Amino acid sequence: MIATENALVVFTAKSPETIVLEGGSQAWKLDPARAKKCEWLVCTQNAHNPEPYADGNEPHGSAFLIGRISRISPADNDEGRWKIEFNQYARISQPNVWTGDRNPVRYTNLDALGINLDGAQFKEMDSVVSTPQTAQTMESAGLTIAQAKAGLAKTYGVDVGSIEIVIRG
């Protein structure tokens, strides 16, 4: 019996902080009808991407983030591409999940990836994400540390792990 596709795997150069800040992983060329049938998004690290948006620093090919898919929507400012949104996520660390496929999007299942969710610490997505529609909301609600770090890293062209924030009361 063939296992049901319950996971959508992406090969991304973005950091977990940026993905959470953006409200999901984007801008992918995928089959939205097929993607909507998947329950899980598994993000694997492309550590060899020279693009300016590449801020991830997880080991190359490793799975570092899993999210429970809530919606497949058009990507922000990238016509013809899609955003995979999730309402819960957990950090994971599993080496060698990306198998070198030519396409950076793969449909599979968690069993085939060897991912076991026992013990995964899921967090709810923040209701405030960085999109033009929520800029006013962010201004009134404030930023999380992860959002501030991701924004500063992008502005100054450094890794998110290089940003330290000190809060004095």
Side-chain angles (χ1 to χ4, degrees), residues 5 14 28 30 32 42 47 57 64 67 70 80 98 103 110 122 141 143:
E5 290 176 345
K14 292 186 178 181
W28 301 105
L30 53 79
V42 177
N57 58 8
F64 63 90
S70 61
W98 189 255
N103 189 339
L110 295 182
F122 281 90
L143 293 171

Side-chain angles (χ1 to χ4, degrees), residues 143-145 164-169:
L143 293 171
T144 66
I145 297 292
E164 294 181 9
I165 297 177
V166 176
I167 300 174
R168 293 187 170 80

Side-chain angles (χ1 to χ4, degrees), residues 15 17-18 21 55 57 143-167:
S15 68
E17 294 83 6
T18 296
L21 178 66
D55 65 347
N57 58 8
L143 293 171
T144 66
I145 297 292
Q147 290 169 332
K149 284 177 136 184
L152 289 167
K154 186 174 183 179
T155 299
Y156 294 106
V158 298
D159 289 333
V160 172
S162 300
I163 303 292
E164 294 181 9
I165 297 177
V166 176
I167 300 174

Side-chain angles (χ1 to χ4, degrees), residues 43-122:
C43 296
T44 60
Q45 190 71 73
N46 178 354
H48 302 149
N49 191 325
E51 297 294 331
Y53 62 78
D55 65 347
N57 58 8
E58 305 298 325
H60 185 74
S62 68
F64 63 90
L65 184 80
I66 187 165
R68 185 181 299 272
I69 297 173
S70 61
R71 186 173 159 211
I72 306 297
S73 60
D76 300 340
N77 304 316
D78 206 337
E79 192 172 328
R81 292 183 176 255
W82 298 91
K83 180 176 185 177
I84 306 158
E85 298 179 44
F86 46 91
N87 55 12
Q88 295 178 328
Y89 68 96
R91 292 293 311 269
I92 60 174
S93 179
Q94 186 156 339
N96 305 314
V97 171
W98 189 255
T99 58
D101 297 333
R102 185 177 175 117
N103 189 339
V105 175
R106 181 170 44 140
Y107 303 89
T108 186
N109 62 65
L110 295 182
D111 290 338
L113 297 171
I115 294 176
N116 183 336
L117 298 179
D118 291 344
Q121 302 289 315
F122 281 90

Side-chain angles (χ1 to χ4, degrees), residues 17-29:
E17 294 83 6
T18 296
I19 293 167
V20 170
L21 178 66
E22 292 179 349
S25 185
Q26 64 180 334
W28 301 105
K29 285 199 175 226

